[in-house]
Amino acid sequence: MESHPHVRVLRGKKILLGVTGGIAAYKAVTVASRLTQAGALVDVLMTAAAQKFVTPLTFSALTGRAVVTDLWSPAGNGQIMHVALARETDLFVVAPATANTIAKLALGLADDPLSATALASRGPLLLAPAMETGMWLNPVTQQHVRELIQRGMFVVGPMQGRLASGAMGIGRMAEPPQIIEMTRKVLGRNGPLAGVHVVITAGGTQEPLDPVRFVSNRSTGKMGVALATSARDFGAEVTLIHSPLQVGVPFGVASIPVGTAAEMHAATFNLLPRTDVLIGAAAVADYRPATVADQKIKKKSGSLEIELVRNPDILGQVGAQRQQSGHPKVMVGFAAETEDLLANAKAKLESKRLDLILVNDVSAPHSGFGTETNQVTLLDKWGDVLPWPLLSKDEVADRLMIWVARRIQGKGLGDLGA
Ligand code: PMT
């Protein structure tokens, strides 16, 4: 398999991580490490108070870069370090952001390397506040945060939970995975799908037989969640219509939970007037039990026959009305096949009036249901066929979003090579 450990939206990005003096400073270590592993260049700036909680050495060992602790550190090219860093940054993340640092940022004070760099920087700023509940709820802190948001800065958290004092309340820093997700969302906000609403279906629908049993399939939702994450990173507004998933709904993605194919059908049609791109990654049950027993079906001697009736074909019905309504502009399906892959996928592409279908051999190892990877072949409505190698589901999603962005601009499969 081709290996892509990096996260596309983070790869090569210059991120400043400002660490201030709160107990959550130890979690900033995880943020620095994960951003670096995902391909970002992370320069850490620490206030004096932050160094009482974690040492600069910890951060420099993880990022492989010098940590700025002194306002007057030279950058080595005759420039002052914080001025040089401010010029080059794609995003400045402050985690944890104490009430004191938030106040400095709001007022434009610049008496330490972190606040001076923030003042000099023209890029976006993302704050992850962490403080005692009283400090957070104090009107002066709230006023500062409002002002910073009005000036275009971004905030993640704080969360409810256990605070340093042992008390429960709001003020706990957002967890590192959430800070990373928000970092991705902010970096991607002006991406190629900005202003585009992407609706994705995911998971295996559950068709009830009785109050405790249902008919379903092995879909975990991993493929759909990878698509939603990628669409978000490309700047899209994303809605995930999903049956129960074995993975979490990504941060910054709207979630519409459903159970049955009929519910997924209704949710999809509700959103249709606002849908620019529809991607069907859900494994929708083609059949459901004709009747749902009110009580748990009892065991009897002999066999049990269950009558199944057809479910609505969601993409098929959306495709049938596409020309009149103009929605969605782009429609993509997946074909889960075990034989005659290309012929079966082509028939689905045509009958559902899709622009593109990705066929996966769900009987092959490492592909299809529940796997981290997928091997898909793309068939578009112009007759182009393009096999992709075995890739992580994240990479399949990223490549598909490149196709979607090109399609929104009126282009075909083009040079989207293997
Ligand atoms: O969720 P994972 O564990 O990560 O697994 C991923 C996956 C294998 C489920 C995914 O890659 C996939 O192939 N999804 C489509 C599964 C499927 O239902 O395929 P199909 O060939 O039966 O349907 C073709 C297309 O029509 C699909 O886009 C499907 O969402 C859609 N469909 C199908 C039936 C139906 N009644 N309504 C539909 O809209």
Side-chain angles (χ1 to χ4, degrees):
M1 189 193 74
E2 287 189 8
S3 154
H4 291 279
H6 288 175
V7 172
R8 191 177 287 257
V9 75
L10 291 172
R11 194 182 302 153
K13 290 285 160 45
K14 293 190 172 126
I15 296 179
L16 297 184
L17 176 61
V19 185
T20 72
I23 183 63
Y26 81 92
K27 292 191 194 168
V29 171
T30 306
V31 175
S33 168
R34 295 216 185 146
L35 287 174
T36 304
Q37 285 173 43
L41 298 170
V42 183
D43 284 301
V44 176
L45 302 109
M46 299 180 79
T47 62
Q51 294 168 60
K52 295 196 188 299
F53 292 93
V54 196
T55 69
L57 184 62
T58 312
F59 285 106
S60 60
L62 289 167
T63 61
R65 298 166 77 84
V67 172
V68 182
T69 54
D70 176 359
L71 190 50
W72 303 113
S73 305
N77 52 3
Q79 293 188 46
I80 297 296
M81 188 66 139
H82 70 266
V83 177
L85 286 177
R87 228 174 254 144
E88 291 166 6
T89 181
D90 290 301
L91 176 66
F92 194 157
V93 181
V94 184
T98 56
N100 183 48
T101 290
I102 289 174
K104 284 191 195 179
L105 298 177
L107 296 172
L109 301 183
D111 62 351
D112 63 62
L114 194 157
S115 55
T117 311
L119 192 62
S121 149
R122 278 178 220 103
L125 185 78
L126 168 62
L127 300 177
M131 64 198 76
E132 280 299 310
T133 304
M135 294 170 99
W136 173 250
L137 294 178
N138 191 306
V140 72
T141 305
Q142 290 296 309
Q143 174 67 22
H144 288 150
V145 171
R146 262 197 307 277
E147 279 174 23
L148 289 168
I149 291 172
Q150 273 162 15
R151 281 186 234 149
M153 318 230 173
F154 300 88
V155 178
V156 56
M159 322 299 286
Q160 291 278 350
R162 191 170 187 280
L163 303 170
S165 62
M168 299 296 283
I170 189 160
R172 197 179 153 85
M173 188 175 82
E175 292 301 324
Q178 260 182 311
I179 296 173
I180 309 274
E181 292 293 293
M182 185 67 176
T183 300
R184 291 171 63 164
K185 187 168 157 59
V186 173
L187 284 171
R189 72 199 184 289
N190 298 322
L193 292 178
V196 175
H197 185 201
V198 178
V199 176
I200 296 162
T201 67
T205 62
Q206 298 184 343
E207 313 296 330
L209 266 170
D210 70 14
V212 296
R213 302 185 180 97
F214 55 79
V215 177
S216 190
N217 57 67
R218 295 180 195 278
S219 172
T220 57
K222 283 182 188 169
M223 191 65 247
V225 163
L227 292 163
T229 307
S230 177
R232 179 206 63 196
D233 286 0
F234 273 64
E237 175 196 350
V238 187
T239 305
L240 190 65
I241 302 174
H242 60 92
S243 50
L245 302 173
Q246 288 179 34
V247 281
V249 174
F251 179 85
V253 166
S255 146
I256 303 186
V258 296
T260 62
E263 287 165 11
M264 188 170 272
H265 176 270
T268 306
F269 271 84
N270 267 343
L271 276 184
L272 210 49
R274 285 206 320 109
T275 303
D276 299 310
V277 177
L278 177 62
I279 305 178
V284 186
D286 286 321
Y287 295 91
R288 66 177 184 279
T291 54
V292 183
D294 289 338
Q295 305 299 330
K296 184 179 167 210
I297 299 169
K298 292 277 178 244
K299 185 166 50 184
K300 293 192 198 114
S301 58
S303 57
L304 171 70
E305 280 188 17
I306 296 165
E307 188 193 350
L308 298 173
V309 294
R310 280 296 302 266
N311 264 332
D313 180 340
I314 304 171
L315 292 191
Q317 290 189 15
V318 172
Q321 60 77 64
R322 245 181 113 183
Q323 231 173 357
Q324 302 95 282
S325 77
H327 292 284
K329 293 189 194 87
V330 176
M331 186 156 81
V332 178
F334 276 75
E337 305 296 341
T338 53
E339 57 180 351
D340 296 333
L341 269 60
L342 295 186
N344 286 331
K346 188 165 182 285
K348 286 177 184 172
L349 173 80
E350 286 166 3
S351 68
K352 294 172 197 262
R353 297 183 178 88
L354 304 170
D355 298 307
L356 179 75
I357 197 156
L358 290 84
V359 54
N360 36 203
D361 180 348
V362 290
S363 60
H366 313 300
S367 255
F369 294 97
T371 50
E372 299 302 323
T373 51
N374 213 356
Q375 198 276 307
V376 296
T377 298
L378 285 72
L379 290 82
D380 74 12
K381 65 178 176 186
W382 299 276
D384 282 329
V385 177
L386 184 62
W388 281 346
L390 183 67
L391 300 168
S392 69
K393 283 184 175 170
D394 292 341
E395 182 61 17
V396 170
D398 282 346
R399 289 186 181 205
L400 179 58
M401 289 313 143
I402 296 173
W403 182 89
V404 168
R406 290 171 58 92
R407 191 65 216 116
I408 287 275
Q409 296 156 10
K411 297 174 187 157
L413 277 180
D415 57 1
L416 266 187

